[in-house]
Amino acid sequence: MADDQHEEVSKKVSAEEEIRRGITVMRRVVQGRSRGIILDVYWNNQGQLIEPNGHTLTSFIGALVRNEIPITCDDWRNKELNESKEKIWSEIKRCFNIEEERRGFCMKLARKLLRGFQTFLSSKFLKDADGNFVDAELPKKYESLISAEEWEAFKSKRQDPVFQRISATNWERASSPAYPYRKGRVGYGRLEQSMLQKEESSETSLPAHVLWKEARVGKSGVPQEEVLHVYQKCEELSQSLSPDDTKGILSRALDVPEYSGRVRGKGFGVTPTSLSIKKGKAPSNQELHARLEAMQAELDALRREREASASTVYRDASDKESINCTFQPNIPEGISHCQLYLSSPYYQMVGKGKVHNVSGVLLHTRELPAGCLKVSVDIAVEPNAALPYPSDDSDATTVHEAVGSFVAWPTNLICVGYETPTKSKSKDNAIPRHTESTVSRKELQENEVSNASAQQKKEVSNASARVKSSGAKKTVARKKTTTKYRSCLRTFLEMTDIPTGGVRTLHMEVGIFGFDYDQMIGNEDFMQVFSHEEIGVNVVNTYIRFLYDKLMRPNGLDVSFGFLAPATVNLVLILSRPDTVTEYVLRILMDNKDAEKLFFIPFNTGGHWLLLAINPIREIVYYLDSLGNDWTTYPDMKVLIDTVLQAFRAQRDIQTSRRGANSITWIKVACPQQRNQIDCGYFMLRFMRDTLALGRLKIPTDYFEEFKCAFYTKDQVDEIKEEWCQFMIELNVYS
């Protein structure tokens, strides 16, 4: 009896000792995500996961499955698992740059890994050396993943006679393979990748029998005779069989029964469909002609877009006076005098200097960023304007700090020549701009002579200049953004209780939405910005406060522009409580009935952001939708806005003809269009930002000439994120 107890105890101890490694939780991936690191994953032409990061994604999915799916799961198609599956896929997308069409592969892999985990638990803890069942307790290592109830149910299932019979059959079939696989967890996809890289082959795949043979070579590097025999037989068959033969060469050589859908020698993820091209009837001449025309049209569109991009005319639209200055995309070779511009928050000249368009030139021993040239800054026209690419070597961040040194400048913002551009007649409704200082030719010559000494003085006075200018530095968006403020904010938040559920409040004064309240903001809101997810109303409201504090009040624009709260004016409330929405909008309009004003309504339809800009005095509604929809898509929205404007007209006692009673003008603006399902919120915020930057009450049908583009680039979207994060840091939300 004592011997039996000792044997039982020793078995448990040995099983625990066998697994000394802790539970795999992929902390490195999660921590990387917190720092903004999203891992790329790659696939071969047969749809298999390969390196780099193929093994990492597989392990990450395994960790997610162990956390989200109970070990008692026997039917992967059970609809009760849908929520857990959705969470697994959501976590994968947050940590890896992966396409939506790869979801099926990942879910199949998750199912495979779950079955592997179940088999591991059964063989390690519920069976002795002879394969007999052992009534073991829940291993301490897995107490955080498996509840006591789940463990008992799992054991009960393994004791079921039907299950044990099926398990015994599978065990017997798999216990002594004739040609054992000897590459551990590498898998056929990554094995094929390593073989192609080692051979420096230009091929994208290898024959199945070649892979099959290599997968059965152990550490000795010498294949067994039986494996070589099968391989040689495959080589012979490959000379005589047609490539279209339905049964694979390897299957014929092994001469074993096959089941439908199996592809030997290729591994997980490969199916007959992914290997073969579906046969169908040849396209007709008419179909071929149609395809050719479509391809030609696409080619012409790309050519026109490229030509338009190369000849784009950038104008300074900073205020009542617009500068007619054509930026030269082809800057002459050599060293030329130039004017330096910034495009955000409005186009303006910020400095003068010399552009070095010289082949192979470096910037402080580093290569220049793409699309930039090396520039020496001689004169600071706008001293506090932020550099598009701050200098790492001199710590210069503003134009003033960069005087006498070299910086990188975007090519499309460099105007060759020192001549002052001519100015056209003034335009209405524009933001006043700082008066540009004029520089005489003598001053320029003196500046050129003093360049060398200025560089030396720069190193001495750099620190004091930064201190003096830091207090007056403006919030200016950069053409090429970094993740500087996002990274800083993320680091600050990690030292607070916000990641574990803590919240902060930002005061929203009455001038923003017409009522005074404290805006709550928590970890979910920050993660939307950090991880580039769809933004919610909290992020929108806090960015509106940024626009109010940084663009509107400092420039006196709060008398010409206003906001309506998106939490009060949205499609859900319009459908459920239209009277509440009508009362709020009408109150705000009546409070501002004596002056012409443009009101922004960030409008949420339930899963999409768009922008309404209303001029109630002129009874004009500008409709800006980054998906290109028409306002007729949301008839309830249009009816409510029309009703409010008619009530506003009546309360102002404005007389109109019977025909003009319903003549409210809706204008669909051809604004930049998003190219994914996430960016609508960022685009909507940028529409407001562009309008405020120009200070115009009228939005052109084809959008503002100064900001017209087919879509906002990633850098333009990132500018919104950086501004939001910088504003959060300034407000000390993490304190």
Side-chain angles (χ1 to χ4, degrees):
M1 186 69 177
D3 292 341
D4 292 341
Q5 290 179 348
H6 176 74
E7 184 179 347
E8 183 69 22
V9 171
S10 64
K11 182 193 182 311
K12 289 182 180 180
V13 171
S14 63
E16 294 285 353
E17 288 178 349
E18 234 176 277
I19 318 162
R20 294 179 179 176
R21 199 179 73 177
I23 298 174
T24 302
V25 294
M26 302 303 291
R27 186 174 289 106
R28 179 175 62 87
V29 175
V30 177
Q31 290 176 345
R33 180 186 67 195
S34 300
R35 296 193 298 271
I37 300 173
I38 306 299
L39 301 177
D40 292 322
V41 289
Y42 301 87
W43 313 81
N44 62 18
N45 63 339
Q46 295 158 10
Q48 290 176 300
L49 194 59
I50 57 176
E51 298 298 337
N53 299 323
H55 180 266
T56 302
L57 175 57
T58 301
S59 299
F60 185 68
I61 293 175
L64 291 175
V65 166
R66 291 190 290 274
N67 276 282
E68 301 298 333
I69 308 294
I71 59 172
T72 54
C73 169
D74 292 321
D75 184 7
W76 185 253
R77 294 168 295 183
N78 190 336
K79 292 183 179 179
E80 294 180 0
L81 298 177
N82 287 347
E83 185 177 348
S84 297
K85 290 180 183 178
E86 190 62 38
K87 187 172 182 180
I88 290 172
W89 178 239
S90 176
E91 287 297 311
I92 292 172
K93 289 198 298 182
R94 290 179 65 193
C95 298
F96 294 86
N97 185 14
I98 189 168
E99 303 86 355
E100 188 67 32
E101 55 265 27
R102 302 294 183 182
R103 174 172 180 153
F105 177 93
C106 292
M107 290 300 104
K108 289 178 182 177
L109 181 56
R111 177 188 180 187
K112 177 186 175 185
L113 293 170
L114 174 63
R115 292 176 63 182
F117 184 49
Q118 291 169 331
T119 302
F120 165 78
L121 292 173
S122 181
S123 61
K124 285 293 182 184
F125 300 104
L126 300 182
K127 290 182 180 179
D128 58 18
D130 298 325
N132 300 317
F133 180 82
V134 176
D135 188 13
E137 295 180 357
L138 173 62
K140 291 183 179 180
K141 175 181 176 180
Y142 298 106
E143 286 178 348
S144 61
L145 300 177
I146 306 169
S147 67
E149 293 79 9
E150 286 180 4
W151 182 250
E152 292 301 322
F154 181 72
K155 289 195 300 182
S156 177
K157 178 69 176 178
R158 264 51 190 172
Q159 286 181 282
D160 183 72
V162 176
F163 179 87
Q164 288 191 345
R165 185 168 60 252
I166 296 173
S167 178
T169 303
N170 292 337
W171 180 270
E172 183 179 355
R173 184 180 63 190
S175 59
S176 55
Y179 313 102
Y181 182 86
R182 298 185 180 277
K183 295 299 180 183
R185 300 176 62 191
V186 173
Y188 281 96
R190 295 197 288 272
L191 175 62
E192 182 180 52
Q193 181 188 20
S194 64
M195 291 174 66
L196 290 171
Q197 289 176 347
K198 186 176 181 181
E199 297 172 4
E200 298 183 354
S201 173
S202 60
E203 298 292 331
T204 57
S205 63
L206 295 172
H209 65 281
V210 175
L211 269 178
W212 181 87
K213 185 196 81 169
E214 185 64 25
R216 279 146 187 85
V217 176
K219 293 182 180 179
S220 65
V222 180
Q224 296 178 347
E225 265 193 55
E226 297 84 355
V227 173
L228 280 176
H229 174 73
V230 174
Y231 174 76
Q232 289 167 0
K233 191 173 181 180
C234 289
E235 287 287 294
E236 294 171 5
L237 288 171
S238 65
Q239 304 299 322
S240 57
L241 291 178
S242 167
D244 297 328
D245 197 292
T246 55
K247 190 174 183 180
I249 293 173
L250 185 57
S251 296
R252 288 179 178 274
L254 291 171
D255 195 22
V256 292
E258 296 287 15
Y259 54 83
S260 177
R262 177 164 188 169
V263 179
R264 284 194 176 270
K266 285 295 183 179
F268 178 78
V270 180
T271 64
T273 305
S274 66
L275 284 177
S276 60
I277 300 174
K278 294 182 179 180
K279 295 183 180 180
K281 66 176 184 178
S284 64
N285 289 338
Q286 186 177 0
E287 290 173 333
L288 288 173
H289 185 67
R291 290 183 194 174
L292 195 60
E293 286 184 341
M295 292 173 64
Q296 185 63 45
E298 185 177 355
L299 185 63
D300 291 341
L302 289 172
R303 186 181 292 113
R304 286 194 299 271
E305 184 178 345
R306 184 178 63 183
E307 290 172 355
S309 176
S311 61
T312 300
V313 177
Y314 294 88
R315 294 199 296 265
D316 184 351
S318 58
D319 68 359
K320 299 178 181 178
E321 297 182 339
S322 175
I323 296 180
N324 300 323
C325 177
T326 302
F327 286 79
Q328 303 175 25
N330 297 320
I331 296 176
E333 293 185 6
I335 302 175
S336 308
H337 291 292
C338 66
Q339 297 168 335
L340 306 175
Y341 283 74
L342 289 178
S343 62
S344 296
Y346 48 81
Y347 283 100
Q348 59 174 332
M349 184 173 67
V350 297
K352 298 185 179 184
K354 289 185 285 293
V355 56
H356 295 248
N357 189 14
V358 181
S359 177
V361 68
L362 299 176
L363 179 66
H364 307 299
T365 71
R366 299 186 180 92
E367 292 187 1
L368 287 162
C372 293
L373 287 174
K374 182 177 180 180
V375 166
S376 60
V377 182
D378 299 333
I379 300 169
V381 176
E382 294 286 347
N384 295 319
L387 294 174
Y389 291 86
S391 174
D392 294 331
D393 292 75
S394 62
D395 293 331
T397 59
T398 66
V399 176
H400 169 74
E401 294 171 350
V403 171
S405 63
F406 292 102
V407 295
W409 210 277
T411 308
N412 63 338
L413 296 177
I414 299 173
C415 181
V416 174
Y418 261 146
E419 295 77 13
T420 303
T422 58
K423 297 183 178 182
S424 62
K425 295 180 180 180
S426 62
K427 297 181 180 180
D428 295 333
N429 301 324
I431 298 176
R433 142 181 212 279
H434 298 291
T435 304
E436 180 184 333
S437 59
T438 56
V439 184
S440 67
R441 185 179 301 274
K442 182 179 179 181
E443 289 174 322
L444 295 175
Q445 292 173 348
E446 292 174 352
N447 189 274
E448 290 175 16
V449 173
S450 62
N451 245 354
S453 59
Q455 175 65 31
Q456 297 173 354
K457 294 177 182 178
K458 174 68 179 172
E459 297 175 358
V460 177
S461 62
N462 206 14
S464 60
R466 285 198 304 275
V467 172
K468 292 177 182 178
S469 64
S470 60
K473 193 179 295 183
K474 298 179 181 178
T475 304
V476 181
R478 298 173 181 171
K479 180 69 177 177
K480 180 72 175 179
T481 58
T482 65
T483 61
K484 178 176 68 174
Y485 293 111
R486 275 173 283 173
S487 300
C488 289
L489 182 58
R490 190 169 228 162
T491 302
F492 292 150
L493 294 181
E494 288 176 354
M495 297 183 287
T496 70
D497 64 337
I498 292 178
T500 58
V503 295
R504 299 294 186 270
T505 58
L506 299 179
H507 185 67
M508 306 289 283
E509 63 184 71
V510 68
I512 301 176
F513 292 138
F515 53 90
D516 188 82
Y517 78 106
D518 288 327
Q519 174 68 57
M520 305 289 287
I521 188 166
N523 188 59
E524 181 181 359
D525 306 306
F526 291 105
M527 291 309 299
Q528 290 169 1
V529 177
F530 295 156
S531 304
H532 192 68
E533 300 171 354
E534 295 180 22
I535 57 175
V537 69
N538 294 348
V539 175
V540 172
N541 287 345
T542 46
Y543 187 83
I544 286 175
R545 183 183 157 181
F546 160 78
L547 293 176
Y548 185 79
D549 286 0
K550 299 297 183 180
L551 276 180
M552 286 180 62
R553 281 199 300 190
N555 296 298
L557 294 176
D558 50 343
V559 299
S560 301
F561 295 88
F563 299 98
L564 292 174
T568 306
V569 187
N570 55 67
L571 192 58
V572 174
L573 284 178
I574 286 176
L575 295 175
S576 61
R577 290 186 285 170
D579 293 339
T580 302
V581 180
T582 302
E583 180 183 353
Y584 166 69
V585 178
L586 186 57
R587 177 177 68 81
I588 298 299
L589 298 187
M590 289 303 299
D591 289 345
N592 298 271
K593 62 182 174 59
D594 297 325
E596 186 176 353
K597 199 168 184 177
L598 191 67
F599 289 91
F600 296 117
I601 304 180
F603 192 86
N604 193 286
T605 65
H608 172 61
W609 287 101
L610 57 88
L611 180 66
L612 299 176
I614 301 177
N615 187 328
I617 299 293
R618 297 184 181 272
E619 297 186 350
I620 296 176
V621 181
Y622 298 100
Y623 179 90
L624 296 91
D625 189 343
S626 58
L627 286 180
N629 295 325
D630 195 87
W631 57 77
T632 55
T633 309
Y634 313 105
D636 298 284
M637 172 194 73
K638 185 178 186 302
V639 169
L640 184 134
I641 298 299
D642 286 349
T643 302
V644 170
L645 290 179
Q646 290 168 6
F648 176 71
R649 178 201 301 157
Q651 292 197 21
R652 291 173 61 233
D653 203 18
I654 301 297
Q655 301 296 322
T656 184
S657 64
R658 184 175 299 178
R659 178 179 297 178
N662 297 319
S663 61
I664 295 168
T665 304
W666 283 71
I667 298 175
K668 180 181 178 181
V669 179
C671 52
Q673 299 293 287
Q674 67 188 87
R675 299 189 295 175
N676 56 35
Q677 300 301 314
I678 298 175
D679 287 345
C680 59
Y682 299 103
F683 275 51
M684 179 270 298
L685 296 179
R686 193 159 182 116
F687 296 156
M688 293 192 293
R689 179 178 176 273
D690 289 352
T691 308
L692 288 172
L694 296 175
R696 300 175 188 168
L697 297 180
K698 180 180 178 181
I699 303 178
T701 306
D702 56 351
Y703 206 57
F704 301 108
E705 182 68 24
E706 294 80 4
F707 299 112
K708 188 185 296 184
C709 56
F711 55 88
Y712 289 135
T713 64
K714 180 180 181 297
D715 287 337
Q716 289 172 308
V717 172
D718 284 347
E719 284 179 5
I720 302 295
K721 299 178 185 177
E722 283 294 281
E723 287 175 342
W724 187 85
C725 291
Q726 183 181 5
F727 188 58
M728 294 298 105
I729 292 174
E730 290 178 3
L731 295 177
N732 267 346
V733 294
Y734 46 86
S735 62

